[in-house]
Amino acid sequence: MTFMYPLPVSVSLSLLCMPPHRPATKIKGNVIAEDQLAQMAKQMETFKVNLEEFATKHKDQIKKDPEFRVQFQEMCASIGVDPLASSKGFWSEMLGVGDFYYELAVKIVEVCMATSHRNGGLIRLDELKSRLEVSRHKNTQEISIDDLLRAIRKLKTLGNGFTIHPIGKTFLIQSVPGELTMDHTTVLQQAQKSYYVTVSGLVDTLKWEKERAIKALEYMLKEGLAWVDDQAEGERQYWFPTLFPDAQTP
Amino acid sequence: MAEFEWPWQYNFPPFFTIQPNIDTRKKQLEAWCFLIHDYCKHHKLYSLDVTEIQSSDLFYNKKINRKLSSDSLLTVLDELKKKGHLEWADKSKRQFTIVWRTQEEW
């Protein structure tokens, strides 16, 4: 389909003053743009076909190799295909990637529920990973941090509940609804090394008002995310079981 | 005899401070009850003296320098009594016996 540029029937004075080649360029421009669009669509189609072919050929590898999975997912994202959007899609039917992530998501929910009495519904991504690995059989597929984050993002579709908080270099996964503000995640970040913080410690390092530190810590106590220790030297310490290492998951 | 396996809480300093948050305290007391029960079973203890047990490693983790105060200890033991795993031997609450299995469990 070619788009026709409507030429004016009566040529006004102002139009006469314009460079004569302008409408022609516009027409030409439109034609080129359309050609390109059609070509792009064709290229995308070819790319998709190739990707499908490629995926079918490397089905097992996608299932087995976590790194391969990341690359495949990134390719899909770049052409605007979400292989996880539906379990009825070509991708999940052909490759089982859908099943893989849905199963993983169910396992994630289980682990989060089983550990929430201890950590108040907040778990370190690496602890989640090692707990999942323990519960899985030795000869099943390897899982990566990327797989976990992908499965958790899919869980968000279910509504409020799962949130990913970047803390320093790692992530904390929140499995119970509850507001964690920047202040709270900052506190957790401060506690990452020693597993605890104090009010004056926060005031010193973050240059916070004392009230702000107290408010954040009180909230985290209330939510069961923090425990107090009154036997420490100096002042009360606030400890975070989420960050504290468990002997069972080294 | 196999070595007693301490739960993660035993190395967690706030475990030795009774928690102000009610939900957290509930979990804490529950964990203490489990720990005392398992510890006594493991070491085959049933008749105990409060003063003696207070300085044992059960309530005093020297490694992290934390111990349960007398008040906290009584709170924990009362909880154990509520669950039916403890009987006081005297009115002044100095001696007690640990019931490894409650009557219902037998």
Side-chain angles (χ1 to χ4, degrees), chain A residues 87-247:
Chain A
S87 63
K88 286 200 180 77
F90 166 86
W91 304 94
S92 29
E93 255 174 41
M94 223 33 217
L95 304 167
V97 276
D99 289 346
F100 171 82
Y101 284 103
Y102 298 135
E103 276 166 24
L104 192 58
V106 172
K107 285 271 160 57
I108 289 170
V109 174
E110 281 173 6
V111 170
C112 288
M113 278 172 68
T115 54
S116 67
H117 70 278
R118 175 192 156 190
N119 53 35
L122 203 60
I123 192 167
R124 288 191 327 270
L125 193 58
D126 54 316
E127 189 188 335
L128 180 62
K129 184 165 177 271
S130 54
R131 279 183 184 274
L132 282 168
E133 276 160 358
V134 169
S135 77
R136 287 163 79 90
H137 292 290
K138 276 200 181 99
N139 43 9
T140 46
Q141 307 112 289
E142 242 185 278
I143 43 169
S144 67
I145 292 289
D146 179 83
D147 291 332
L148 289 178
L149 289 175
R150 228 171 261 284
I152 294 162
R153 279 187 206 115
K154 283 291 147 196
L155 279 171
K156 279 189 192 165
T157 323
L158 297 177
N160 240 351
F162 275 80
T163 322
I164 302 170
H165 298 283
I167 303 281
K169 278 183 205 147
T170 175
F171 296 94
L172 286 179
I173 308 305
Q174 189 185 6
S175 57
V176 291
E179 201 57 50
L180 268 200
T181 63
M182 275 285 274
D183 277 11
H184 304 136
T185 49
T186 309
V187 168
L188 284 165
Q189 206 162 338
Q190 291 296 315
Q192 236 182 340
K193 271 211 186 101
S194 49
Y195 318 123
Y196 74 87
V197 293
T198 60
V199 172
S200 57
L202 291 178
V203 170
D204 284 350
T205 45
L206 302 170
K207 307 278 171 264
W208 278 6
E209 300 282 321
K210 205 175 165 189
E211 287 68 33
R212 186 176 175 187
I214 291 172
K215 203 177 147 217
L217 291 172
E218 286 295 321
Y219 178 83
M220 295 178 93
L221 268 188
K222 199 188 97 216
E223 292 294 304
L225 296 173
W227 288 49
V228 294
D229 177 18
D230 286 335
Q231 294 178 49
E233 249 177 76
E235 62 178 304
R236 176 177 265 200
Q237 291 177 349
Y238 294 79
W239 289 70
F240 301 93
T242 304
L243 305 170
F244 197 74
D246 184 353

